[in-house]
Amino acid sequence: MFVHGIDKDLSLKLVEMRDAERIFELTDRSRDALKEWLPWLDHTKTVEDTKSFIQSGAENFALGKSLNCAIIYRGELAGIAGFNEINEAKQTAYIGYWLDTQYQGKGIMTRVAKALTDYALLERGLNKVEIRAAVGNRKSRNIPSRLGFTEEGVIRHAEWLYDHFVDHAVYGMLKSEWGSVKSQ
Ligand SMILES: CC(C)(COP(=O)(O)OP(=O)(O)OC[C@H]1O[C@@H](n2cnc3c(N)ncnc32)[C@H](O)[C@@H]1OP(=O)(O)O)[C@@H](O)C(=O)NCCC(=O)NCCS
């Protein structure tokens, strides 16, 4: 089982089927806040939908194509983060994340994104980590900014969110940059 300790309060572990009830509970109670920026809430109406997400994540993990982690904060599952896609040909991993509203504003996701970037660039030896966030999603954009990622540009109409398109800001970190940036 993949478990990655970050600090005394925080760790990441591979999402398992037995996490489904808790993940669905958080999804449901944070539904309105998550729906502002994530496209899958209308497809996640019951715990069975969460189980399908876990199942397809496990299949993609087995193929080396993604890695979905549960964020464990002080013993409780607080949200999800990981690599929505790992592209070995491009040597690039794409980070995605969400937190239950009760766990926001504590610096959790910045520490998690830092640990995932360490894992991708230093342990797994990939060349690049990307984080994409809707241009208006300031809280999400703050995370790569805090970690010293380079803002590389904007992809117009990158995502359909229920009834409108959103543009995505793209942030990137190269393996050659990470050692010096993270020690600052
Ligand atoms: C994106 C998201 C994970 C960001 O959550 P967050 O709590 O703002 O991010 P962090 O956990 O890194 O916490 C940072 C906040 O904690 C505060 N904080 C408190 N203690 C801190 C610490 N020790 N270290 C760093 N920050 C700390 C920071 O000041 C910051 O608050 P601010 O934005 O008011 O300045 C969250 O808003 C979310 O889940 N949104 C919905 C889903 C989503 O948009 N996903 C991303 C799609 S691209």
Side-chain angles (χ1 to χ4, degrees):
M1 176 49 55
F2 173 94
V3 178
H4 184 87
I6 297 176
D7 57 37
K8 69 177 176 42
D9 291 325
L10 203 52
S11 61
L12 294 174
K13 75 170 188 80
L14 205 57
V15 171
E16 298 169 88
M17 204 48 91
R18 65 181 169 162
D19 300 319
E21 299 281 349
R22 171 67 175 171
I23 295 170
F24 181 71
E25 180 195 338
L26 299 190
T27 304
D28 211 31
R29 76 181 188 203
S30 296
R31 182 174 295 279
D32 291 345
L34 296 177
K35 207 173 162 179
E36 188 177 1
W37 299 117
L38 296 174
W40 43 262
L41 278 302
D42 284 357
H43 308 294
T44 310
K45 291 192 168 142
T46 71
V47 72
E48 293 307 316
D49 299 322
T50 300
K51 286 180 180 170
S52 299
F53 156 77
I54 295 171
Q55 180 62 37
S56 67
E59 288 164 14
N60 282 324
F61 174 70
L63 296 170
K65 289 182 173 175
S66 73
L67 175 60
N68 294 328
C69 296
I71 299 166
I72 310 298
Y73 179 71
R74 297 185 176 169
E76 301 279 0
L77 196 159
I80 300 291
F83 304 112
N84 294 337
E85 184 191 340
I86 299 170
N87 187 317
E88 291 286 352
K90 292 198 242 173
Q91 294 186 50
T92 300
Y94 300 84
I95 291 181
Y97 40 64
W98 61 266
L99 274 176
D100 175 54
T101 49
Q102 287 185 14
Y103 295 93
Q104 295 183 20
K106 300 176 192 299
I108 291 174
M109 200 56 87
T110 301
R111 283 179 276 162
V112 165
K114 185 176 184 195
L116 288 170
T117 305
D118 268 342
Y119 173 75
L121 300 180
L122 305 182
E123 284 184 47
R124 196 146 168 164
L126 296 169
N127 181 57
K128 186 174 184 184
V129 170
E130 261 188 47
I131 297 178
R132 298 181 176 196
V135 167
N137 192 350
R138 185 39 66 190
K139 286 184 171 189
S140 182
R141 294 180 64 181
N142 283 345
I143 290 168
S145 293
R146 277 190 207 103
L147 294 176
F149 280 53
T150 298
E151 187 176 341
E152 298 185 337
V154 170
I155 303 175
R156 296 179 305 155
H157 286 201
E159 186 173 36
W160 176 254
L161 268 184
Y162 307 100
D163 56 4
H164 63 289
F165 284 107
V166 288
D167 298 346
H168 276 181
V170 178
Y171 293 82
M173 176 63 68
L174 302 180
K175 180 162 53 181
S176 57
E177 301 163 337
W178 182 234
S180 52
V181 169
K182 92 178 174 139
S183 57
Q184 283 169 13

